[in-house]
């Protein structure tokens, strides 16, 4: 994707995610109307279910956190020219790492314990991205296939652990023991479910924004992604930098896994989330690879999913319908930059037909 | 004789620049019309309006005295217009025949029989003496052949108006000569040609009419009989261009780079550089002459770390390298003007100012504590734009929006202004107008006078003879000999370029 210049704000690029979301909602609305349901009615309940009251808003935010952080992970590798489809696997391994540390009672302060869990997740997620990163950067393998296959490895490996060494003693469920209290992510507001993962997400998005916009490291990473040969020409060790980006990408996804188990479930459960890696890709695309925009995109995804069931109960529109809206939004973002060209073509054709 | 193409008051405005303003132009059937102008004068843009890549902001296009609208490339093709672009638009992984039909839209072609196309391509290639194998892959063809594919593409689409944008910039003299024959052949077949070029000798050789653009406006149109190279140069640049260089006295020399038994094997296993040894000293320009394809690219890439070499060593600043990365080369003060500007030397999607600091971002001037210093980056770019006369709307302009010659100037400005110890320049003036060419050659000499060791690899013998202190001739990956500026013999260089060693010539005298 294109980088931007400081100083000249490219409004088109910033508006694109907003436009995509609007287009997704409009197109979705048309399809709802075709089913004989008033789309405004359906969207009212969708919105109500998503942010209608404090509880529903919190639920939406809880769904936003893992999606958004994995979205950032996808952005990180993509900037260096690597398409990381393995967010899901890295997410699971991160969760495993956090669980290893988090279920262990340690004589340290709570904050330290939480940090230690996150560090473990970063290491696990990063290491799991090491292999595809190495094969891509140094050996020219196709990273898409490798990361996708590794997702299955990670998922099955987690299940294996949860049926064996990491299983909670004395149960038949495939789940780990509960985290010790010092290793749980604290709530933002006492008594509410919203945990500090939301803060971590926002800070991380801001950090990445600063990285790409203001720092030499971000400059170099984007150079590799934009033109690997020119980057090498300029004295860059592109292989190192690509591997680095992939590892960080895996670490971020791993961290998301840790935050999810530490903030929501308090333990690792088999198949506790599904599709988060792919959703991350969709969010990265919807955000047009802009870290700040990924906040908006992730919240859009989180809110849609959270509001879906109330829409279904009130109007009968199936809750899986929100996936159509999501897909429409992402497709809109991908296709919109080409629309002026298509319009021109159509105009040209009209003129020709008249002539 | 009839006017086949007429442009009336064409204006093309981009958001920040007016590339063409009220341009009038007319092409006679069966003639060659040259379009001249400095870098960024608007030649490519004007022709892009004709071939449907851009739409003019105002003005009209007439073909055979009919007003036409050209909104896209297929309409241009329908009107019999075909363009060979400054930067080729071929798919390297596809065959010649496949490239020829790529993008062609005819209903009956829904199921294409590639054998038919191959036969047609072979026939056309025969008719125009192209010598192309329709089954060959583009990536295996030398540039000159690739260009013929581009021309063939245009002919295949039955173009009657053929636009060649700086067609000879990437060709060897021999290939250019062959292209001239092709153009003459085209004209014989009643086709009309628009020729964009910076080489005035080509204009005098081929053109019937000449139109000169400056800053987007027509300076004038003259017929070839009534003009000469000098006058054309003056019309273009607005002053005399004399190629009269100032060179300083020779300085005390010290060894800057020593190459021993360098051997480079390319990806297909062919030995491109064979046991090459030479030394490069401060304060000199070593010119490497030779016909293109004799290892120029591989030599420059090995010396700058862009490619690995398979034997021998390179010594820089007392350190001998058996392998060298681009970083090591850069850190030893080597600047590199690469042969391929768009894929190697620049990041097309980035701004001009960011391209100016591609390698130098870490310097105190441009960043502190890992944060880019935006103000001084912009200032640096603005300064270089001024001193190298780079035409762009601002330092923030994307490189892609710059004219071909101005893209080249960005690289030159960056690599020369760095103050290198060693400057490796490959075809540095390719695509530059004559004013800029003169300027850049003087810059190379100035660098030498400052004590830089310059290795100039160029297939233009004129360029090398004008600036080099010593001239080496590269043939099949080896130096046929190294001559001093003071005892130059063009005939001797010619023989060496054809593969005769200097020693052999001397040996010949011994025996006699
Ligand atoms: N897509 C674009 N967007 C903005 N400006 C452009 C674009 N294309 C060309 N320009 C500007 O228009 C002017 C004319 O460019 P053009 O490419 O026509 O020059 P040219 O005469 O072909 O030069 P050269 O000899 O260097 O190829 C330049 O100043 C260039 O920066
Ligand atoms: Mg041009």
């Amino acid at each position: 994707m294109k980088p931007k210049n400081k100083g000249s704000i490219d409004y088109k690029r910033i508006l694109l995610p907003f436009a995509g979301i609007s287009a997704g909602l409009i197109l979705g609305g048309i399809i709802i109307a075709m089913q004989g349901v008033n789309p405004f009615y359906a969207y009212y309940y969708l919105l109500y279910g998503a942010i209608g009251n404090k509880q529903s808003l919190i639920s939406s935010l809880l769904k936003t956190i893992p999606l958004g952080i994995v979205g950032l992970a996808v952005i990180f590798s993509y900037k260096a020219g690597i398409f990381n489809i393995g967010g899901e696997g890295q997410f699971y391994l991160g969760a495993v790492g956090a669980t290893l540390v988090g279920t262990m009672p340690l004589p340290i302060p709570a904050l330290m314990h939480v940090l230690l869990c996150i560090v473990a997740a970063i290491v696990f997620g990063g290491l799991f991205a090491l292999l595809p990163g190495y094969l891509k950067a140094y050996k020219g393998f196709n990273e898409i296939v490798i990361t996708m296959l590794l997702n299955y490895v990670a998922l099955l490996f987690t299940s294996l652990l949860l049926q064996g060494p990491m299983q909670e003693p004395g149960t038949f469920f495939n789940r780990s023991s509960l985290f010790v209290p010092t290793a749980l992510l604290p709530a933002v507001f006492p008594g509410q479910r919203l945990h500090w993962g939301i803060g971590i997400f926002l800070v991380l998005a801001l950090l990445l924004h600063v990285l790409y916009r203001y720092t030499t490291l971000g400059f170099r990473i984007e150079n590799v992604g934009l033109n690997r040969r020119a980057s090498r020409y300029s004295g860059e060790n592109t292989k190192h930098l690509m591997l680095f980006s992939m590892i960080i990408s895996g670490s971020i996804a791993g961290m998301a896994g840790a935050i999810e188990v530490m903030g929501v479930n308090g333990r690792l459960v088999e198949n506790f989330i599904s599709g988060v890696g792919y959703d991350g890709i969709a969010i990265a695309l919807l955000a047009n690879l802009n870290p700040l925009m990924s906040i908006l995109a992730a919240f859009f995804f989180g809110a849609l999913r959270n509001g879906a069931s109330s829409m279904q109960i009130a109007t009968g529109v199936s809750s899986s319908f929100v996936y159509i809206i999501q897909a429409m939004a992402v497709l809109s973002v991908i296709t919109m930059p080409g629309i002026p060209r298509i319009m021109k073509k159509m105009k040209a054709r009209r003129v020709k037909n008249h002539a | 004789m009839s006017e086949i193409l007429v442009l009336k008051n064409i204006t093309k405005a981009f958001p920040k620049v007016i590339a063409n303003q009220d341009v009038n132009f007319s092409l006679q059937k069966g003639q060659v019309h040259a379009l001249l102008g400095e870098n960024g004068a608007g030649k490519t843009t004007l022709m892009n309006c004709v071939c449907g890549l851009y739409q003019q902001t105002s003005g009209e296009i007439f073909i055979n005295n009919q007003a036409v609208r050209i909104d896209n490339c297929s309409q241009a093709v329908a009107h019999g217009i075909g363009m060979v672009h400054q930067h080729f638009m071929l798919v390297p992984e596809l065959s010649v025949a496949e490239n020829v039909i790529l993008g062609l839209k005819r209903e009956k072609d829904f199921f294409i029989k590639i054998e038919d196309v191959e036969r047609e391509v072979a026939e056309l290639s025969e008719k125009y003496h192209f010598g192309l194998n329709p089954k060959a892959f583009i990536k295996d063809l030398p540039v000159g052949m690739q260009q013929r594919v581009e021309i063939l593409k245009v002919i295949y689409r039955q173009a009657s108006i053929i636009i060649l944008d700086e067609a000879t910039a990437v060709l060897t003299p021999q290939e250019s000569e062959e292209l001239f024959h092709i153009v003459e052949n085209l004209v014989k077949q009643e086709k009309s040609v628009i020729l964009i070029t910076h080489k005035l000798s080509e204009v005098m050789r081929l053109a019937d009419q000449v139109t000169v653009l400056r800053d987007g406006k027509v300076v004038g149109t003259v017929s070839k009989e009534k003009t000469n190279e000098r006058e054309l140069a003056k019309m273009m640049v607005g002053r005399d261009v004399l190629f009269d260089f100032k060179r300083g006295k020779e300085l005390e020399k010290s060894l800057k780079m020593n190459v021993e038994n360098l051997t480079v094997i390319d990806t297909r296993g062919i030995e491109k550089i064979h046991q090459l040894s030479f030394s490069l000293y401060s304060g000199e320009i070593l010119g490497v002459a030779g016909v293109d394809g004799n290892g120029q690219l591989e030599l420059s890439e090995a010396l700058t770390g862009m490619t690995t070499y398979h034997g021998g060593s390179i010594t820089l600043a007392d350190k001998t390298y058996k392998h060298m990365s681009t970083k090591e080369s850069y850190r030893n003060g080597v600047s590199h003007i690469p042969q391929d500007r768009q894929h190697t030397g620049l990041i097309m999607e980035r701004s001009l100012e960011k391209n100016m600091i591609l390698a130098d971002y870490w310097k105190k001037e441009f960043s502190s504590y890992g944060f880019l210093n935006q103000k001084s980056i912009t200032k640096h770019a603005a300064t270089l734009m001024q001193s190298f006369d780079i035409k762009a709307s601002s330092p923030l302009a994307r490189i892609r929006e710059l004219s071909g010659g101005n893209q080249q100037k960005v690289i030159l400005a960056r690599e020369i202004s760095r103050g290198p110890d060693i400057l490796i320049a490959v075809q540095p003036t390719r695509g530059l107008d004559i004013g800029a060419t003169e300027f850049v050659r003087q810059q190379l000499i100035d660098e030498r006078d400052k004590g830089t060791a310059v290795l100039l690899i160029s297939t233009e013998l004129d360029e090398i003879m004008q600036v080099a202190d010593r001239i080496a001739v590269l043939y099949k990956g080896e130096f046929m000999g190294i001559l001093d500026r003071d005892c130059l013999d063009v005939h001797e260089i010619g023989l060496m370029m054809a593969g005769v060693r200097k020693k052999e010539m001397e040996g010949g005298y011994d025996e006699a």
Side-chain angles (χ1 to χ4, degrees), chain B residues 9 40 57 65 72 78 89 94 101 103 111 115 123 133 148 211 258 291 318 366 377 394 417 429 464 482 510:
Chain B
N9 297 324
T57 318
N65 298 318
N72 55 46
M89 301 186 171
L94 294 183
I101 52 161
F111 295 105
E115 293 80 19
E123 280 166 12
N133 170 11
R148 288 183 195 186
T211 294
N258 193 38
V291 177
D318 305 329
F366 305 124
I377 292 171
S394 81
S417 71
T429 58
I464 288 188
I482 300 185
D510 281 353

Side-chain angles (χ1 to χ4, degrees), chain A residues 214 216 222-223 229 232-233, chain B residues 301 306 326 336 350 370 372:
Chain A
Y214 301 106
T216 54
E222 279 190 339
N223 285 348
R229 195 175 154 77
R232 193 159 63 82
Y233 158 79
Chain B
E301 295 211 324
M306 284 299 286
T326 49
H336 177 199
R350 277 215 187 274
L372 294 169

Side-chain angles (χ1 to χ4, degrees), chain A:
Chain A
M1 285 273 156
K2 301 152 195 161
K4 43 183 162 334
N5 292 313
K6 198 202 161 207
S8 77
I9 300 170
D10 194 338
Y11 289 103
K12 256 189 241 155
R13 200 162 304 142
I14 292 178
L15 286 179
L16 200 55
F18 286 100
I21 290 174
S22 313
L25 288 172
I26 292 169
L27 292 171
I30 293 172
I31 300 175
I32 294 176
M34 285 180 346
Q35 296 180 350
V37 176
N38 182 345
F40 294 103
Y41 191 57
Y43 280 162
Y44 170 77
Y45 280 101
L46 184 65
L47 199 65
Y48 184 81
I51 55 172
N53 57 42
K54 203 159 132 196
Q55 284 317 313
S56 54
L57 179 62
I58 284 178
S59 294
S60 292
L61 287 173
L62 281 175
K63 289 204 159 65
T64 302
I65 297 167
L67 294 172
I69 300 179
V70 175
L72 292 176
V74 173
I75 290 177
F76 205 99
S77 65
Y78 201 98
K79 289 274 188 187
I82 305 179
F83 207 9
N84 180 9
I85 312 266
E88 185 124 351
Q90 294 139 14
F91 185 94
Y92 267 86
L93 278 211
V96 166
T99 308
L100 284 176
V101 180
T103 48
M104 222 190 298
L106 293 175
I108 49 175
L111 184 64
M112 287 297 290
H113 204 167
V114 166
L115 282 179
L116 218 56
C117 289
I118 291 182
V119 168
I122 286 175
V123 171
F124 272 57
L127 282 180
F128 198 58
L130 183 85
L131 178 74
Y134 172 80
L135 290 175
K136 164 76 179 176
Y138 287 81
K139 303 287 166 197
F141 278 56
N142 183 329
E143 77 276 22
I144 296 178
V145 176
I146 300 175
T147 49
M148 193 144 75
L149 292 177
L150 283 177
N151 280 341
Y152 295 102
V153 175
L155 244 85
L156 293 171
F157 178 65
T158 308
S159 299
L160 187 75
L161 289 177
L162 290 178
Q163 289 166 28
M166 280 177 76
Q167 192 171 29
E168 184 182 16
T171 68
F172 298 106
F173 298 113
N174 293 339
R175 64 180 198 198
S176 73
S177 316
L178 275 174
F179 276 48
V180 295
T182 49
L184 290 174
L185 267 184
V188 181
F189 310 107
Q192 301 287 355
R193 288 187 304 144
L194 186 64
H195 56 82
W196 272 110
I198 189 77
I200 298 177
F201 169 42
L202 295 178
V203 169
L204 198 60
L206 194 66
L207 277 178
L208 291 202
H209 172 72
V210 170
L211 176 77
Y212 295 123
R213 193 141 183 182
Y214 301 106
T215 70
T216 54
L217 180 64
F219 177 67
R220 291 161 56 199
I221 292 175
E222 279 190 339
N223 285 348
V224 178
L226 288 167
N227 183 343
R228 193 173 166 184
R229 195 175 154 77
S231 167
R232 193 159 63 82
Y233 158 79
S234 73
E236 192 63 68
N237 189 333
T238 55
K239 292 174 180 167
H240 277 189
L241 206 53
M242 285 171 79
L243 180 59
F244 167 80
S245 300
M246 185 62 182
I247 291 174
I248 298 295
S249 174
S251 298
I252 295 174
M255 192 161 81
I259 288 168
E260 191 66 6
V261 284
M262 293 156 71
V264 178
N265 300 323
R267 61 159 40 115
L268 182 59
V269 184
E270 190 179 26
N271 300 332
F272 68 109
I273 201 163
S274 100
V276 69
Y278 302 99
D279 289 335
I281 294 166
I283 285 164
L285 292 175
L286 182 58
N288 204 15
L289 299 183
N290 179 331
L292 288 184
M293 281 299 145
S294 77
I295 299 173
L296 176 77
F299 182 69
F300 177 65
F301 269 50
L304 273 184
R305 283 167 190 203
N306 191 36
S309 48
S310 76
M311 176 176 75
Q312 179 169 14
I313 294 163
T315 67
V317 174
S318 158
S319 64
S320 49
F321 190 80
V322 294
Y323 294 103
I324 297 182
I325 300 178
Q326 275 175 26
M328 295 283 186
V330 174
L331 287 176
S332 302
V333 166
I334 296 171
T335 51
M336 259 181 207
I339 286 179
R341 258 207 353 253
I342 298 169
M343 299 253 284
K344 214 170 71 186
K345 249 200 180 136
M346 277 165 38
K347 208 171 94 196
R349 194 156 298 162
R350 257 205 318 277
V351 171
K352 200 166 146 194
N353 289 346
H354 279 223

Side-chain angles (χ1 to χ4, degrees), chain B residues 39-40 42-45 86-87 165-166 196 198 403-405:
Chain B
N39 295 128
K43 306 177 294 292
T44 302
T45 306
Q86 197 166 356
H87 302 102
D165 192 354
E166 295 193 28
I196 301 179
H198 290 298
S403 82

Side-chain angles (χ1 to χ4, degrees), chain B residues 14 17 19 37-46 54 86 166 198 391-392 401-406 431:
Chain B
F14 291 110
V17 253
E38 288 179 285
N39 295 128
K43 306 177 294 292
T44 302
T45 306
L46 184 66
Y54 295 151
Q86 197 166 356
E166 295 193 28
H198 290 298
K391 287 201 187 99
E401 292 165 4
L402 266 55
S403 82
N406 283 299

